[in-house]
Amino acid sequence: MEKQDLLFEGASKRLYSTGRPSIIVLEFTDEFPGSAASSKKGKFPGKGEINCGISSFLFQYLENYHVPTHFSERITPTEMTVRKLEMFKIIVHVHNIATANLAARFKLDDGRALDYPIIEYYLKAPRLGNPMVNETHALALGLAKKEDLRTISRIASKTNAILKSLFDRRGLVLLEFQLEIGSAGDHICIADEITPDNCRIWDRKTNRRLDQDRIHQDLGGVEKAYRELHDRLISAA
Ligand code: ADP
């Protein structure tokens, strides 16, 4: 399917229309999202291809377990066709292990296991710093209906269970991840991407970070880590 007009350009992704109104093309660029990361020269050749590969693989994997996603087909190394959705203005965060912002907020040791997964909702409003919202905020602000929130929470929990065990079988730990969710009519599904840009993933034996934190924490070896994650997930498939 041919891509047509550019609909949206972010740092790490571009969206294009196609000849079919219900389908768009999602292109992954070599940049890192967010100005903070980009200002640290967050870019390497081949990142778009790696992230498109990881996201395509994970979306198909989830679909095999009947978790609905927007994924249709990977059409080039850096592009996939996806279902065009009305996006909820909510970002869902799922935490299995305290790290990064969650560890800082509750003064928990980095890497401390949680007794139960935590699911948090954030308003997608970068100008407000994406504040955390709960179910009553979401209802009061018209961000989602009650039954939509129930579906979103079920999708997040199921995604977590499936991905956690997949990563575990690859000798990896899924500490936390973010999801964007959208709908086409009554059909609610995962949108955007699932990549090391919006997940935190460590090697189980060494706790080596194979994700965005190599940029945020200036750890170096970003490209190597992203390639390793891609290969460990996909070559073993
Ligand atoms: P970047 O990471 O490049 O800064 P963003 O993630 O901010 O880009 O932007 C990508 C945009 O595309 C987001 O606004 C996201 O909600 C939107 N998007 C992702 N998937 C879909 C979809 N299937 N339909 C409509 N919009 C989508």
Side-chain angles (χ1 to χ4, degrees):
M1 193 173 303
E2 288 292 300
K3 64 184 184 195
Q4 296 183 345
D5 301 325
L6 179 65
L7 300 175
F8 170 86
E9 178 158 24
S12 68
K13 270 163 293 162
R14 295 189 193 105
L15 304 185
Y16 295 89
S17 62
T18 67
R20 284 177 59 189
S22 59
I23 300 287
I24 54 176
V25 169
L26 192 61
E27 179 191 7
F28 292 76
T29 73
D30 289 341
E31 304 262 347
F32 277 84
S35 51
S38 301
S39 68
K40 288 186 181 177
K41 300 278 174 287
K43 182 177 176 166
F44 65 83
K47 172 176 179 280
E49 187 171 340
I50 290 173
N51 274 6
C52 187
I54 293 174
S55 227
S56 302
F57 171 74
L58 293 177
F59 282 145
Q60 286 173 88
Y61 192 87
L62 288 167
E63 290 278 354
N64 288 340
Y65 285 88
H66 309 291
V67 176
T69 77
H70 66 163
F71 182 76
S72 170
E73 192 186 353
R74 187 177 185 185
I75 51 169
T76 72
T78 56
E79 294 170 319
M80 56 171 79
T81 47
V82 300
R83 196 197 278 235
K84 186 173 184 184
L85 303 172
E86 282 296 319
M87 298 299 295
F88 288 99
K89 283 211 172 80
I90 288 176
I91 306 170
V92 185
H93 289 210
V94 182
H95 306 267
N96 295 306
I97 292 180
T99 190
N101 176 285
L102 184 84
R105 250 186 292 148
F106 294 98
K107 296 232 178 316
L108 301 172
D109 290 339
D110 193 23
R112 181 196 140 152
L114 301 169
D115 295 343
Y116 201 78
I118 296 174
I119 298 183
E120 296 174 332
Y121 301 110
Y122 289 84
L123 177 67
K124 199 176 164 194
R127 276 185 303 128
L128 304 178
N130 295 347
M132 183 159 41
V133 291
N134 65 22
E135 187 177 316
T136 63
H137 288 101
L139 296 174
L141 301 177
L143 304 173
K145 295 199 286 267
K146 202 164 186 137
E147 58 269 28
D148 297 340
L149 289 170
R150 216 174 299 129
T151 306
I152 291 170
S153 157
R154 214 178 312 123
I155 288 176
S157 297
K158 191 167 172 189
T159 299
N160 187 37
I162 293 166
L163 294 188
K164 221 166 50 167
S165 99
L166 166 68
F167 281 85
D168 186 53
R169 275 181 275 118
R170 303 289 196 271
L172 300 163
V173 183
L174 179 61
L175 290 93
E176 60 177 41
F177 62 94
Q178 297 179 17
L179 295 177
E180 286 198 33
I181 310 278
S183 68
D186 286 344
H187 184 70
I188 293 181
C189 61
I190 302 178
D192 212 44
E193 62 178 309
I194 307 180
T195 68
D197 286 1
N198 63 2
C199 299
R200 288 194 159 83
I201 300 149
W202 293 2
D203 176 78
R204 198 175 47 215
K205 277 204 190 114
T206 61
N207 285 353
R208 197 160 39 91
R209 288 154 168 75
L210 299 174
D211 57 40
Q212 55 183 314
D213 278 339
R214 302 214 73 86
I215 282 276
H216 301 316
Q217 299 179 13
D218 273 330
L219 299 174
V222 187
E223 178 173 351
K224 186 166 170 280
Y226 272 57
R227 285 194 191 285
E228 178 181 333
L229 179 67
H230 174 276
D231 293 349
R232 281 171 73 169
L233 274 177
I234 292 162
S235 342

